[in-house]
Amino acid sequence: MTRVRSIAVAISLALGAVVPAVTLLAPAAQAAEQQNKITTKAVAVPLKAAQEAMQKKQWDTALTEIKKAAAVDKKTPFEAYQIDEFMGFVLIQQKKFGEAAPVFERMLNSGLMPPEQVDERTKTVAQLYFQMKDYNKAAQWSKKWLDKHPNTEDMGILLGQSQYLLNDYKNAADTMKNVVNNAVKAGRKPDENWIQIVMSSYFKMQPQDKNGIGDALKIMVRYYPKAEYWENLLDIYRRKESGDRIALGYYRLMNDVGILKDKGDFVEMAQLSIDAGVPGEAQAAMQKGMDTGVLKVADKTEQGRYDRLMTSATKQSDLDRKTLAQQQTEADKAGTGQILVGLGQAYLSYGETDKAIAALEKGIAKGGVTDADEAQISLGMAYLKKGQKDQAREAFKKAGGKFKDLGELWVIRTQTA
């Protein structure tokens, strides 16, 4: 039975020390600039004192002098800009990012900033506002940067994180999905946290975007094949399809990725395997459940059910093995490939992969198969067990119809096995 699990993702959003050092003119050059354009004595005197203090890294003294200059009523726009230049530098040195952010914003909005500094200062302002948790401002300034420099990874991340923290889940998902896709296109492994933000954004939308969650989980298990991600992904897709053969297909994948661990799952897989004519698979599933202790319980009535199912699977498996040679002869003579496919699935359940591949390929080629899509899944599984991932991937890709989703998930499995 399908279990509904929460996709409550713990996301680390702290950027850490992301604020770059702010570059000012060298003290001598700055002094020359002041001599030419700073004409108000009440501004010039404290700025000169501030500059001397800055050279000695006496930041508190420098800030006191800068504030004296800032308090002057009558000063030119250029003088106000220079005061902010000094103040922004000192505040960064003191790690007073919250106070520095509006200073740099004023400078950018003044129209006096040299063009070659605008881009870096725009990025700095976005990072500063993120540090002070003003996510609206952080988003605003990171967008300004991205308008000029699309697909810049660090600013895309900052924008996506800001949108997420503003509960703007749709835009957060779109922004971080773009970051993830760009990394994948560049042949790089996307950060787990980026994919978590995409997945969590889809999860928190109202209504939830279940297709978006599924797509994000596909990327997640491709690069981070943890059990919890596979569990959530398979829960989503198992609810989309119905039918015993499809259910058995998902149990097989669950078993392969190591998340078949509930009592009901082992029992249901075993029963479905018997019904599908592969008792060897039923026996293996029950044996695994018993070896792991899942199907070992104190309740005698419950344990009796498990033991009886195990006994039945073992007996049927023993009989089936004895008739494989006869089945092979009948399959070779048959006018269609269905018996060969069934034989290939039996060989696969007993771990005879070479014989399974041969029978499945011959049966598919002969035609007349009840479900060619399921046969392709079985062929892919045989190739994968043999370690031939490329051939397995091609077989899984050929699965269509109601087996299409399962085939796509098995393709991902070939990339992580």
Side-chain angles (χ1 to χ4, degrees):
M1 181 176 292
T2 302
R3 300 171 303 283
V4 179
R5 296 183 178 86
S6 170
I7 309 177
V9 182
I11 300 175
S12 172
L13 294 169
L15 287 184
V18 297
V19 182
V22 179
T23 304
L24 297 178
L25 295 173
Q30 188 71 35
E33 197 75 35
Q34 292 166 6
Q35 289 172 2
N36 291 332
K37 297 187 178 180
I38 294 180
T39 58
T40 305
K41 184 177 181 180
V43 172
V45 172
L47 279 190
K48 186 175 186 299
Q51 189 175 45
E52 292 172 353
M54 288 163 64
Q55 290 171 344
K56 298 175 184 178
K57 296 185 178 181
Q58 296 173 348
W59 307 120
D60 291 340
T61 301
L63 186 59
T64 298
E65 295 299 325
I66 293 166
K67 286 181 177 180
K68 289 179 183 178
V72 175
D73 290 332
K74 294 182 179 180
K75 52 184 176 286
T76 68
F78 175 79
E79 290 169 344
Y81 180 86
Q82 289 298 310
I83 291 168
D84 277 344
E85 183 80 50
F86 274 59
M87 186 176 293
F89 181 85
V90 171
L91 290 171
I92 289 293
Q93 305 311 309
Q94 295 179 310
K95 301 189 184 304
K96 295 178 179 178
F97 301 136
E99 295 178 47
V103 174
F104 284 106
E105 185 173 11
R106 280 199 306 269
M107 293 167 65
L108 281 161
N109 290 333
S110 71
L112 296 174
M113 184 174 288
E116 66 273 13
Q117 294 182 16
V118 170
D119 279 358
E120 255 337 284
R121 295 294 175 85
T122 298
K123 178 182 284 191
T124 298
V125 169
Q127 293 170 324
L128 287 171
Y129 275 124
F130 191 90
Q131 287 282 356
M132 62 185 292
K133 299 184 180 181
D134 187 338
Y135 302 122
N136 274 308
K137 286 279 192 178
Q140 173 189 332
W141 284 95
S142 56
K143 283 178 183 176
K144 287 180 182 290
W145 170 275
L146 290 167
D147 285 344
K148 292 180 66 177
H149 308 280
N151 299 321
T152 305
E153 186 171 280
D154 60 345
M155 294 305 287
I157 295 167
L158 192 146
L159 175 58
Q161 290 178 325
S162 298
Q163 291 167 330
Y164 183 87
L165 291 167
L166 289 167
N167 300 331
D168 182 5
Y169 298 123
K170 183 181 186 307
N171 284 319
D174 291 343
T175 300
M176 293 306 298
K177 185 177 178 181
N178 187 58
V179 171
V180 170
N181 289 342
N182 285 337
V184 172
K185 288 176 185 176
R188 294 185 291 107
K189 182 179 181 179
D191 190 89
E192 184 176 5
N193 190 55
W194 307 346
I195 311 170
Q196 285 177 334
I197 295 174
V198 177
M199 182 168 60
S200 185
S201 295
Y202 285 129
F203 185 76
K204 291 185 176 183
M205 285 181 190
Q206 293 298 326
Q208 289 180 357
D209 186 339
K210 294 183 179 179
N211 289 331
I213 295 170
D215 290 342
L217 280 165
K218 282 183 180 179
I219 298 172
M220 186 66 88
V221 299
R222 165 68 180 89
Y223 294 99
Y224 302 93
K226 297 178 182 178
E228 64 190 279
Y229 297 140
W230 272 113
E231 287 174 4
N232 284 314
L233 179 60
L234 291 178
D235 274 350
I236 290 172
Y237 279 90
R238 289 169 68 195
R239 289 196 293 270
K240 291 174 65 175
E241 298 288 351
S242 60
D244 290 349
R245 305 293 290 204
I246 291 286
L248 178 57
Y250 278 107
Y251 278 126
R252 286 165 171 162
L253 181 53
M254 289 170 64
N255 190 32
D256 197 73
V257 299
I259 61 170
L260 189 75
K261 53 190 178 184
D262 290 351
K263 297 175 185 177
D265 289 342
F266 281 109
V267 171
E268 189 171 356
M269 182 179 180
Q271 191 60 63
L272 289 173
S273 297
I274 290 174
D275 295 343
V278 280
E281 196 166 2
Q283 182 186 11
M286 293 300 294
Q287 189 64 58
K288 184 175 182 178
M290 291 181 172
D291 290 344
T292 57
V294 175
L295 298 183
K296 291 290 186 180
V297 296
D299 185 279
K300 293 182 178 180
T301 301
E302 183 180 352
Q303 187 63 52
R305 291 199 299 270
Y306 301 151
D307 291 341
R308 287 192 295 274
L309 183 55
M310 179 63 173
T311 299
S312 176
T314 301
K315 287 182 178 179
Q316 293 184 55
S317 178
D318 289 343
L319 290 173
D320 189 47
R321 280 178 181 271
K322 293 176 182 178
T323 64
L324 287 178
Q326 180 183 344
Q327 291 181 49
Q328 181 73 63
T329 300
E330 293 174 356
D332 289 336
K333 294 178 180 178
T336 67
Q338 180 56 42
I339 300 179
L340 278 165
V341 167
L343 179 63
Q345 291 168 335
Y347 281 135
L348 180 59
S349 73
Y350 298 123
E352 298 186 45
T353 53
D354 287 332
K355 291 182 178 180
I357 291 169
L360 286 162
E361 286 189 332
K362 188 174 180 180
I364 292 169
K366 184 177 282 191
V369 177
T370 302
D371 198 322
D373 296 315
E374 183 186 19
Q376 291 290 351
I377 296 288
S378 296
L379 179 59
M381 289 175 59
Y383 272 125
L384 188 58
K385 286 184 181 296
K386 192 172 171 60
Q388 296 178 326
K389 295 181 182 180
D390 290 341
Q391 293 92 327
R393 196 171 299 123
E394 290 306 309
F396 291 136
K397 286 180 179 179
K398 291 177 182 176
K402 59 186 179 181
F403 283 92
K404 186 176 187 298
D405 285 340
L406 181 59
E408 290 177 354
L409 296 176
W410 271 109
V411 167
I412 296 172
R413 177 58 178 155
T414 67
Q415 298 166 329
T416 63

